[in-house]
Amino acid sequence: VELKESNEFLVNVGANVAVSKSTQQVIEIIDKQMNEIQEIHEKLDDNIIKVMDRINELMEELKNVQ
């Protein structure tokens, strides 16, 4: 198998459909996806903190009931 330099890539866009994209377009797509993943990660971190805070509140309430 010989790998040759290419300026275009096939990118899966869903529903078993692939389109040809330039190197720059692929870089932009990957950058956008990485930013989206980072945003989701930050939201998940925030939600985990909120849930942990609520758990701690409920544990304190339970201690006061007993």
Side-chain angles (χ1 to χ4, degrees):
V1 176
E2 184 179 330
L3 182 62
K4 295 182 181 182
E5 189 174 325
S6 175
N7 293 328
E8 295 201 357
F9 298 88
L10 289 177
V11 178
N12 183 346
V13 293
N16 291 325
V17 176
V19 295
S20 180
K21 298 284 184 180
S22 70
T23 303
Q24 186 58 39
Q25 288 173 313
V26 171
I27 290 170
E28 290 169 4
I29 290 168
I30 293 171
D31 282 343
K32 181 180 176 188
Q33 290 174 338
M34 288 174 55
N35 288 334
E36 289 172 352
I37 289 171
Q38 182 63 34
E39 288 175 15
I40 292 168
H41 186 268
E42 290 170 5
K43 288 178 184 178
L44 284 171
D45 283 347
D46 289 344
N47 284 338
I48 289 170
I49 290 170
K50 287 177 185 176
V51 168
M52 292 302 297
D53 287 345
R54 183 63 180 144
I55 288 171
N56 288 332
E57 288 173 11
L58 291 171
M59 288 177 66
E60 286 300 316
E61 286 181 30
L62 279 173
K63 285 181 186 177
N64 293 333
V65 170
Q66 295 175 350

